[in-house]
Amino acid sequence: PVPPSPGTLEARAMRFEQDMEYQESLAADQAKERQRQEAEAAAKREAEEAAVRAEREAADAARAEQEVAAQIEGIRAKLPPEPPASAPEPTVLVVVRLPDGARLAPRRFLCSSKVEVVYWFVQVALFERDRSQGKQHDPGNTFDLVTNMPANAFTDKQLTCADAGLTGQTLLMVQFHAVRGS
């Protein structure tokens, strides 16, 4: 056999080098493609998991809102009708001011009604206000009804309005309790 010429050897070496570079480039491209596909699959999984979480959270929020609405409806059912101004029994006209300065519609109560009934009215009104503003009502947001002059908190809900000093026309303010941990 005749040994290959130096030009042939050089051409073979160049061809071998080009083949090696092509194989390396091909392997790098394949690795990049795998990484892209894996990243795409991971992103898709994350999006699906986020969608499932969002659906679950929305369902939980809807369930919680339904439970709150049911609680409020139970309170509304216990709330006696507003007595007329000409009621034979003495009445108190209560105006409630909220911390943001807004006022609830004035409401008349019998002086023989318990203070608890006034709280029920405020709870229902706060729920309806939150709902009309598109807010989620927080039933755990507890409050006291207070007067400014003289400073008094009506915390004994079993007293009658008359025994608690709620007579005539009274302005009550809603004073929310501080949230624990804040």
Side-chain angles (χ1 to χ4, degrees):
V2 178
S5 70
T8 303
L9 288 176
E10 191 176 307
R12 284 184 188 166
M14 184 183 277
R15 173 81 179 192
F16 179 75
E17 189 176 309
Q18 287 174 343
D19 285 346
M20 292 302 291
E21 287 175 2
Y22 172 77
Q23 291 300 324
E24 288 174 6
S25 176
L26 182 62
D29 288 346
Q30 289 172 340
K32 283 181 189 176
E33 180 61 19
R34 270 194 309 276
Q35 287 175 343
R36 186 192 64 74
Q37 288 175 349
E38 288 170 1
E40 230 175 61
K44 184 178 178 183
R45 271 193 312 275
E46 287 177 23
E48 289 170 353
E49 289 170 2
V52 167
R53 269 194 313 274
E55 285 177 28
R56 191 176 315 124
E57 289 169 3
D60 289 348
R63 192 171 24 263
E65 183 66 21
Q66 287 173 344
E67 289 172 7
V68 169
Q71 284 177 330
I72 294 298
E73 286 309 311
I75 292 170
R76 189 188 317 268
K78 294 189 291 187
L79 192 60
E82 182 174 8
S86 61
E89 285 187 60
T91 61
V92 57
L93 181 66
V94 175
V95 177
V96 178
R97 191 172 79 204
L98 302 176
D100 65 4
R103 291 179 183 223
L104 300 179
R107 175 134 175 356
R108 195 174 316 282
F109 297 91
L110 293 174
C111 287
S112 60
S113 294
K114 292 184 178 182
V115 171
E116 178 178 45
V117 174
V118 180
Y119 274 85
W120 292 344
F121 164 72
V122 173
Q123 284 177 309
V124 170
L126 289 174
F127 172 77
E128 289 172 350
R129 182 173 187 254
D130 286 350
R131 184 175 262 180
S132 72
Q133 294 175 351
K135 297 178 184 173
Q136 188 170 0
H137 182 71
D138 181 3
N141 203 357
T142 58
F143 60 90
D144 285 328
L145 295 174
V146 299
T147 57
N148 231 4
M149 294 291 179
N152 189 15
F154 299 92
T155 56
D156 187 348
K157 298 177 186 176
Q158 296 310 306
L159 289 176
T160 65
C161 289
D163 290 342
L166 295 174
T167 56
Q169 185 171 339
T170 305
L171 173 66
L172 296 176
M173 291 169 285
V174 172
Q175 189 173 63
F176 288 106
H177 297 171
V179 179
R180 291 182 201 156
S182 43

